[in-house]
Each structure stands twice: as structure tokens, then as C-alpha cells.
Amino acid sequence: MVQKRLATVDTNIELHLHRTATEHRDLKVIYKINSFVSVIVKNIVGFGIFVVTDDEYKTEGLLHINKFQDKFIKNIEEYISIGDRIDNVKVVGINQESKLEFSSMHLTFEKKENYTDKNTNDLAVQELSKEVMEIKKVLMNKVGVISKEAENRILRNIEENGLITFSMAMGRVLENYQVDLGMLLIKEIENKMSDYL
């Protein structure tokens, strides 16, 4: 009977300590170092993932990119998205701002199949836009204003055949291309005149 009573007293003391720690948000008591928790990804930045524990305490913390995997990771978004839940993340520290520090070096993450690097895509589009603007300038110096229809055809040709192929063909054509816009305009007027005769 004495053994059972001691166990109950110990359990009650432990519960009281835990309740007190919870009320005062003493993270060192709530989360033991080297314990495991589940977290929800709140934000992804270049140096890591900001997460919040998926428990009653909703404690914030950081999973630094250096503690994410046991290999070089250039972009965490290839593996994780905002809102994802990660189970069995290890608590490795508590910093001065009462935030947890985590590690997932013991876990294995697979790259997402449908991931496309938005920044790389945006840069490629910007570079292509610059090149198309240069092409338009060259053509405008030769023939004047480029219509929206002509600009769309330029873009379609570049998409279908590539920028280098289009540029090489354009250079070849422009070497010998002579245009007299006045003559083209007169021919157009002559064609319309026949409608009225």
C-alpha cells in the first residue's frame, strides 16, 4: 500500500510541475531536449523553415536548413510546402526568445515531383522579355512600328524554334532586306482603289 501511495504522490508532483511550467510557458519543462514533436510549416525562407508545434502549446520555432537533412539542400521548397505537417521532428534547443530549435536530420524527405522553381522561372521569363525587346528594337529600326500581331508572331516563333534560331534567321534576312514603306502604302491604296472602280 505504501508503494502505491508514493507513486501517486510522485505522479501528482510531476503533474503539478508540468501544469506550473505550462502556465508560465517554461519551454524547458514542456519540451525536453532530444524529444520528438509534430510541427506545422508556417513559413519558408532561404535559411530554413518557421514552424509551430502541433500540440496544445502551439510553440513557434525554427528548423534551420543546416539541420533539415544530412546533405546539401539548396531550396527547401523542393521538399516541403507551407501548411505541411512534419512528424517526429527533434527538439534540439531553446533560444533566448523562447523559440524552439529543431532538427530533422534523422528523417528522409523526397523531392516533390511537380515542383518548379518559381524564381528560376521568373528569371527566365525576364531574360526572354529583355531579348524580345532587343529584337523589337532592331526590327523597328529597320521597318518602323511593330504591330501587336507581329509581336505575337515573334513570340510564337521564339517559343517554337528557340531564341537563337530566330535571331540567326532574323540577322540573315535583315542583311539584304530593303523596304520602302511608302511604296508598300501606295500598293495598299492601289489595291483598295480597285474596290471603288
Side-chain angles (χ1 to χ4, degrees):
M1 187 77 158
V2 175
Q3 186 71 12
K4 188 175 182 181
R5 193 175 233 166
L6 283 177
T8 305
V9 170
D10 288 345
T11 304
N12 287 337
I13 290 172
E14 192 173 314
L15 282 172
H16 174 73
L17 289 174
H18 189 73
R19 234 182 269 123
T20 305
T22 303
E23 288 171 11
H24 298 291
R25 301 260 323 148
D26 186 354
L27 297 182
K28 290 179 181 165
V29 174
I30 297 170
Y31 299 102
K32 303 283 187 218
I33 300 299
N34 296 325
S35 64
F36 296 90
V37 296
S38 294
V39 296
I40 304 294
V41 176
K42 289 296 185 188
N43 195 12
I44 301 172
V45 293
F47 57 86
I49 308 169
F50 288 102
V51 297
V52 63
T53 57
D54 192 21
D55 57 17
E56 63 189 282
Y57 308 111
K58 304 294 183 208
T59 306
E60 296 179 351
L62 173 69
L63 174 53
H64 196 277
I65 194 167
N66 292 339
K67 294 179 181 169
F68 180 67
Q69 287 285 260
D70 194 17
K71 62 181 178 180
F72 175 75
I73 301 291
K74 181 178 177 186
N75 189 347
I76 292 178
E77 288 179 297
E78 292 181 66
Y79 301 88
I80 296 291
S81 299
I82 293 173
D84 285 356
R85 176 187 163 112
I86 309 172
D87 293 319
N88 297 319
V89 176
K90 190 175 192 179
V91 177
V92 294
I94 301 168
N95 65 23
Q96 291 86 348
E97 294 92 34
S98 294
K99 307 267 185 194
L100 298 175
E101 297 170 4
F102 298 102
S103 171
S104 60
M105 300 281 273
H106 60 286
L107 300 174
T108 303
F109 294 91
E110 299 295 325
K111 281 189 179 184
K112 293 187 236 167
E113 289 180 23
N114 57 354
Y115 175 77
T116 54
D117 190 344
K118 184 178 181 279
N119 295 333
T120 303
N121 262 355
D122 289 348
L123 289 174
V125 168
Q126 288 173 4
E127 283 301 313
L128 183 59
S129 296
K130 286 180 193 175
E131 298 297 331
V132 169
M133 289 303 294
E134 289 299 315
I135 287 170
K136 279 178 55 179
K137 282 181 192 175
V138 169
L139 291 174
M140 286 170 67
N141 286 338
K142 191 69 171 174
V143 297
V145 177
I146 302 287
S147 70
K148 191 66 179 167
E149 183 184 344
E151 185 178 336
N152 289 337
R153 286 183 74 175
I154 291 169
L155 286 171
R156 191 169 47 249
N157 277 306
I158 290 171
E159 286 174 5
E160 290 172 5
N161 303 305
L163 181 62
I164 294 172
T165 305
F166 183 85
S167 299
M168 290 176 66
M170 182 184 75
R172 276 256 170 102
V173 169
L174 289 180
E175 282 175 12
N176 303 317
Y177 188 71
Q178 297 297 321
V179 66
D180 182 344
L181 292 178
M183 284 301 286
L184 290 175
L185 181 61
I186 296 298
K187 284 182 184 177
E188 192 68 30
I189 292 170
E190 288 172 349
N191 288 339
K192 290 293 178 195
M193 283 175 49
S194 65
D195 293 345
Y196 298 104
L197 293 176

